[in-house]
Amino acid sequence: YDFDLIANRFRETAFLTRGLRIELTDERGEGRHAAYQFDGGLADYVAHLNKTKEPIHKKIVSFVKEGRDDNMDVEVEVAMQWNNSYAESVHTYANNVQTPGGGTHLSGLQAALTRTINVYAREKGYLKEKDENLQGTDVREGLAAIVSVKLGEPQFEGQTKDKLGNPSIKGFVENAT
């Protein structure tokens, strides 16, 4: 067993499940030990992602929305903070399973952020009437974010199941954001 691989997965699970405490002890050889508990949940995860970067704003934006969608209970939790880097670091999960290919939950977040920032820029006069809207890639530059959805019947795409495919989740996440 690879201790670091298991420890990373346990840390990720502790971030995704606010207040859960997980301890890992390797009783072979050097006896390594790791313990994880994050009472801030996804906000702590974003702080972890940004620990070597300089945040643009101090407060990590986070929210949870629960509801029913497509005849099933759904919960979306998002935490995000922009930093001074050019790289986008967005991690997505469905039922605590990482979805590295993204999917409908990621599409919902991206659409909402792009629309909201464009509306704000127009209202404040940063974008004039004849200016083109900002592109999604511009809006997400330097963004560190986690999107986690919990739903009764996740539909994954492809053989590797690394992408969430529930169509209605896009709108649910977009409305929550």
Side-chain angles (χ1 to χ4, degrees), residues 3-115:
F3 183 87
D4 293 329
L5 179 71
I6 295 169
N8 284 334
R9 179 60 183 136
F10 283 178
R11 178 178 46 232
E12 190 176 82
T13 300
F15 280 130
L16 293 166
T17 311
R18 182 188 325 266
L20 174 67
R21 180 170 177 79
I22 300 175
E23 293 191 39
L24 173 64
T25 303
D26 185 348
E27 296 179 350
R28 306 168 299 173
E30 59 206 53
R32 294 170 66 188
H33 178 81
Y36 305 105
Q37 181 175 351
F38 304 102
D39 294 328
L42 297 189
D44 287 349
Y45 198 166
V46 169
H48 174 74
L49 292 175
N50 275 342
K51 70 182 177 189
T52 61
K53 299 173 180 82
E54 186 178 324
I56 300 290
H57 50 96
K58 283 189 176 201
K59 186 176 180 196
I60 295 171
V61 177
S62 64
F63 57 88
V64 176
K65 181 178 179 184
E66 297 177 12
R68 285 194 60 78
D69 193 58
D70 232 6
N71 293 321
M72 70 178 136
D73 291 331
V74 178
E75 177 184 295
V76 61
E77 184 174 2
V78 175
M80 59 187 156
Q81 183 181 43
W82 278 265
N83 59 59
N84 65 348
S85 76
Y86 294 104
E88 175 184 347
S89 179
V90 178
H91 300 266
T92 59
Y93 298 85
N95 293 352
N96 282 10
V97 175
Q98 189 173 30
T99 51
T104 53
H105 50 334
L106 177 60
S107 297
L109 177 74
Q110 291 172 335
L113 288 178
T114 303
R115 183 185 65 248

Side-chain angles (χ1 to χ4, degrees), residues 106-130:
L106 177 60
S107 297
L109 177 74
Q110 291 172 335
L113 288 178
T114 303
R115 183 185 65 248
T116 302
I117 290 177
N118 275 305
V119 166
Y120 178 84
R122 291 209 181 276
E123 285 176 357
K124 297 297 180 184
Y126 299 119
L127 287 177
K128 306 299 180 210
E129 192 175 311
K130 58 185 163 188

